[in-house]
Amino acid sequence: MIQTNQIFETLRMIDQEKLDVRTITMGISLFNCVCDDTRRLASRVYSRIARQAENLVKVGREIEREIGVPIVNKRISVTPVSLITGAVDDPLPVAHALDKAAKETGVDFIGGYSALVQKGMTAADRRLIESIPQALSETDLMCSSINVASTRAGIDMDAVRLCGQAIKDLAEKTRDQDGLGCAKLVVFANAVEDNPFMAGAFHGPGEGDCAVSVGVSGPGVVKRALESVRGASFDVVAETIKKTAFRITRVGQLVAMEASQRLGVPFGIVDLSLAPTPAVGDSVAHILEEMGLEKCGTHGSTAALALLNDAVKKGGVMASSHVGGLSGAFIPVSEDIGMIEAAACGALTLDKLEAMTCVCSVGLDMIAVPGDTSAATISAIIADEAAIGMINNKTTAVRIIPAPGKQVGDYVEFGGLLGRAPVIPVHPFASDDFIARGGRIPAPLHSLRN
């Protein structure tokens, strides 16, 4: 039974500590849309999404109003598009159908213009990756992701090279928006099939026809809890975070079950990810600083983040039998006021961020670099991050913005949840010959687990 004090505690977390449900995401399979005619395929995709998700936004708003929990975004994820476009020559009509369906249903974003190429590329995969700059510059609500590596398969360096070039071209095509298109593209290693967060969400081929998942966030709640145990040992810190993560996840579980019942769609997962926003009081960096760091990025930051990520997961799995996605702590620079401040003063560098991705939920996220950064350097950054994911058997990702016309010290401005970010330096030495080799970096020995 829910106790009165639990109700008041939840209301306080919402009102004062910025607890929210960051997203309700409906995953939709598009395999039944497959055909060999481009126009008919696009029409089927649009109709399938528009019909299945017609009540998603309405139900999300009803739950938000009745329960009193803010639901920031309503989103859709779909089957990776390269898997349904093998029999057609051009995936772009499907991209426009996705964007049209997103607008028709009223959602904030739709994800799944994606390819899974960790071991090699089909012709459809290659066409999709090469079409990304045009697809994302011509659509408004569509997001894209490419999985270039896994612990079992290794790293497809040919795909890494193509992704680096796609990011460079996409930045140029959205030059008048500070390269905003790049904020809608994520390059993964070990991508999960049930991630409700954008830009990396897709409805994996191992999923059913449809599912509804919830992503919960609450950095402010965790920071406030840690303020009450200042000076205590790390044992106490870990236990405090676990208990707080439990309470946050229970809110997500309630919303997910309500959404599943009202939409008549199976409940997928609750993703407990401490996804920050640019708002004051909603920062993962400030949680790390509350543990005793003067500035996020200084020595000790990786250890603090490891503790946070682990404790969040442990608290979450006790609160729901269906915790999944990328549950843990995100460190997107432009979306976290503490990260923005740390990067601006030089405490947080690209190298330190890379080190911290060994223990966070995802990877190098929403990082702005100089506009003259080469495609090969971007590919090399992707390869480094993919290697971390492959060797450590974890999800890693890169969402990087080579800001056109901007140099170190300038800012990119995206607004909303995407925030703003200082342009930070990359290494000046070239990686061109490394990327030009192509082929595949083999999987590590510990991948042989059969």
Side-chain angles (χ1 to χ4, degrees):
M1 179 181 292
I2 297 176
Q3 303 296 318
T4 302
N5 66 320
Q6 293 176 311
I7 295 172
F8 284 127
E9 185 177 63
T10 301
L11 291 174
R12 189 195 71 243
M13 289 192 295
I14 294 167
D15 184 52
Q16 300 177 21
E17 299 166 10
K18 300 187 182 299
L19 172 66
D20 60 56
V21 170
R22 187 57 48 86
T23 178
I24 292 179
T25 301
M26 178 179 283
I28 302 172
S29 172
L30 299 181
F31 283 124
N32 63 355
C33 300
V34 173
C35 66
D36 59 2
D37 180 271
T38 305
R39 186 173 298 176
R40 193 159 73 249
L41 173 61
S43 176
R44 287 181 176 182
V45 166
Y46 169 79
S47 297
R48 164 85 171 124
I49 297 169
R51 183 174 61 253
Q52 184 67 64
E54 62 179 342
N55 293 320
L56 176 61
V57 171
K58 174 188 170 187
V59 166
R61 288 172 178 165
E62 287 174 354
I63 295 172
E64 185 176 23
R65 185 169 56 251
E66 293 173 20
I67 299 179
V69 178
I71 301 174
V72 179
N73 275 181
K74 293 83 178 174
R75 299 165 174 169
I76 297 169
S77 64
V78 300
T79 304
V81 166
S82 73
L83 297 181
I84 67 166
T85 55
V88 301
D89 294 329
D90 184 6
L92 281 170
V94 176
H96 290 288
L98 292 175
D99 199 52
K100 180 182 176 184
K103 292 173 179 175
E104 173 66 23
T105 56
V107 297
D108 298 280
F109 290 105
I110 187 166
Y113 198 73
S114 306
L116 310 177
V117 294
Q118 56 270 20
K119 200 171 184 180
M121 289 180 284
T122 65
D125 293 327
R126 184 178 290 271
R127 286 194 295 267
L128 184 135
I129 295 172
E130 291 175 342
S131 74
I132 284 173
Q134 184 175 353
L136 290 184
S137 62
E138 292 179 354
T139 56
D140 299 313
L141 305 180
M142 189 184 74
C143 296
S144 180
S145 59
I146 309 295
N147 191 70
V148 298
S150 73
T151 299
R152 293 301 299 267
I155 306 173
D156 183 345
M157 291 299 291
D158 293 318
V160 168
R161 178 180 56 80
L162 286 180
C163 287
Q165 189 61 58
I167 290 169
K168 184 72 174 174
D169 294 344
L170 178 56
E172 193 59 38
K173 280 186 173 290
T174 54
R175 165 181 282 269
D176 60 338
Q177 298 172 290
D178 282 347
L180 175 63
C182 298
K184 298 189 289 179
L185 171 61
V186 183
V187 183
F188 278 114
N190 290 319
V192 299
E193 297 192 355
D194 56 4
N195 168 25
F197 283 96
M198 298 297 171
F202 61 86
H203 189 66
E207 297 284 316
D209 281 335
C210 192
V212 62
S213 297
V214 164
V216 187
S217 184
V221 181
V222 174
K223 182 181 183 300
R224 181 65 67 89
L226 291 185
E227 289 173 1
S228 68
V229 294
R230 283 180 181 166
S233 72
F234 283 115
D235 306 274
V236 175
V237 169
E239 194 65 23
T240 301
I241 294 171
K242 280 167 53 182
K243 291 177 179 177
T244 306
F246 177 89
R247 295 197 299 270
I248 295 171
T249 307
R250 292 301 288 176
V251 174
Q253 173 87 354
L254 173 62
V255 172
M257 292 178 66
E258 279 294 318
S260 171
Q261 182 178 10
R262 297 185 191 199
L263 290 166
V265 170
F267 168 27
I269 56 95
V270 176
D271 184 322
L272 172 60
S273 289
L274 297 184
T277 73
V280 174
D282 204 19
S283 166
V284 168
H286 288 164
I287 296 174
L288 306 185
E289 291 167 6
E290 183 61 39
M291 292 188 200
L293 304 174
E294 181 180 0
K295 210 69 178 173
C296 178
T298 192
H299 306 297
S301 296
T302 305
L305 182 57
L307 183 154
L308 174 63
N309 207 49
D310 180 65
V312 164
K313 291 177 187 289
K314 287 174 178 174
V317 297
M318 294 300 294
S320 173
S321 298
H322 297 286
V323 171
L326 300 171
S327 294
F330 288 0
I331 51 172
V333 174
S334 79
E335 299 174 9
D336 185 311
I337 185 63
M339 296 284 176
I340 295 169
E341 293 167 349
C345 74
L348 194 60
T349 64
L350 190 58
D351 286 343
K352 185 60 177 180
L353 282 162
E354 183 181 293
M356 292 168 70
T357 64
C358 296
V359 298
C360 78
S361 281
V362 194
L364 297 172
D365 198 9
M366 289 302 291
I367 295 169
V369 297
D372 59 3
T373 303
S374 70
T377 294
I378 295 169
S379 293
I381 292 170
I382 293 170
D384 282 344
E385 196 61 26
I388 290 172
M390 175 184 71
I391 295 296
N392 292 290
N393 196 27
K394 72 181 293 291
T395 302
T396 54
V398 173
R399 188 163 48 146
I400 191 169
I401 300 99
K406 299 293 179 73
Q407 295 298 325
V408 174
D410 293 336
Y411 275 80
V412 293
E413 302 277 354
F414 297 132
L417 289 178
L418 296 176
R420 66 195 296 264
V423 176
I424 62 177
V426 299
H427 285 286
F429 306 104
S431 308
D432 299 57
D433 292 345
F434 175 76
I435 296 302
R437 286 179 179 271
R440 183 154 56 95
I441 293 179
L445 181 62
H446 63 253
S447 69
L448 301 176
R449 295 185 174 184
N450 290 340

